Amino acid sequence: MDIQEVLQWTDEQVFVKTGKHIDSLQSSILKEVWEGEKYHKIAKKCNRSEDHIKQFSRKLWKMLSDVLGEDIKQSNVRSILETQALSNIYNNNGSQIVGYINSHINICGEKRQDAEEAKQRSPSPPDSPQNNARSPIIDLTDAPELPYFYDRTSELSTLKKWIL
């Protein structure tokens, strides 16, 4: 999951419980903490004092703890938000996360769509019954080779969780 998806999910959860949306400073703090930044760097980026960011963050962690029912701190906010957001997707869809992924991108060995069939389909909203029944098929046989593997530890751990 990327930070934008998590921010949207978190904002929805906060709004349901409090009736208020996450403001821009709260969003900035979440983004920066998600990226592993420390409070002094967040303060510089947000043009605020470090003490202001710390106090504001404490209120943010308290609010998120109340909303999500877990003790949230700077050190664990990413893992808790990721876990809860994924868990929410899993529980609300009533299917496995793999099904969630495949509903957006199908990389299975199904037959390719005819070009004619693709032209006849009209665009529809992502959550419409048409799109839920039929997912796009992506042919990866022409994909470029990836000779270098960069450190993607967090992505690998997410994939392992999804698979298990």
Side-chain angles (χ1 to χ4, degrees):
M1 280 195 116
D2 72 350
I3 184 61
Q4 293 305 321
E5 291 173 312
V6 171
L7 280 174
Q8 182 180 355
W9 179 84
T10 304
D11 183 54
E12 290 169 3
Q13 302 307 308
V14 168
F15 185 75
V16 166
K17 293 272 187 167
T18 67
K20 296 178 184 176
H21 289 283
I22 293 176
D23 65 29
S24 61
L25 184 55
Q26 291 169 327
S27 178
S28 295
I29 290 171
L30 278 172
K31 283 181 192 175
E32 296 301 325
V33 169
W34 187 270
E35 298 296 325
E37 292 295 343
K38 302 294 180 197
Y39 287 138
H40 66 277
K41 288 193 178 185
I42 297 171
K44 278 187 176 181
K45 287 182 180 180
C46 295
N47 294 320
R48 304 277 190 342
S49 72
E50 185 176 351
D51 287 337
H52 180 75
I53 294 296
K54 284 181 180 178
Q55 290 174 359
F56 203 82
S57 296
R58 276 193 288 273
K59 291 177 185 175
L60 175 61
W61 307 146
K62 171 78 170 103
M63 177 189 64
L64 290 176
S65 295
D66 293 343
V67 167
L68 301 175
E70 290 196 46
D71 184 29
I72 295 181
K73 300 176 257 180
Q74 179 186 12
S75 59
N76 67 4
V77 67
R78 181 173 182 159
S79 63
I80 289 175
L81 288 179
E82 241 177 353
T83 303
Q84 288 223 1
L86 283 173
S87 172
N88 186 273
I89 289 169
Y90 176 81
N91 290 333
N92 285 347
N93 284 347
S95 62
Q96 294 179 351
I97 292 174
V98 172
Y100 171 76
I101 294 168
N102 284 337
S103 71
H104 294 291
I105 298 175
N106 186 343
I107 57 173
C108 297
E110 296 177 10
K111 293 182 181 178
R112 297 175 81 179
Q113 287 178 299
D114 293 329
E116 197 65 34
E117 182 183 343
K119 286 180 187 175
Q120 289 175 354
R121 261 194 314 170
S122 63
S124 54
D127 292 333
S128 71
Q130 268 185 320
N131 281 349
N132 288 341
R134 182 186 299 238
S135 60
I137 297 175
I138 299 173
D139 183 9
L140 296 178
T141 57
D142 297 330
E145 286 189 38
L146 301 174
Y148 303 106
F149 183 76
Y150 297 99
D151 184 29
R152 306 289 294 262
T153 309
S154 65
E155 289 88 349
L156 287 173
S157 66
T158 301
L159 283 173
K160 284 180 185 176
K161 287 179 190 174
W162 286 356
I163 292 169
L164 299 176

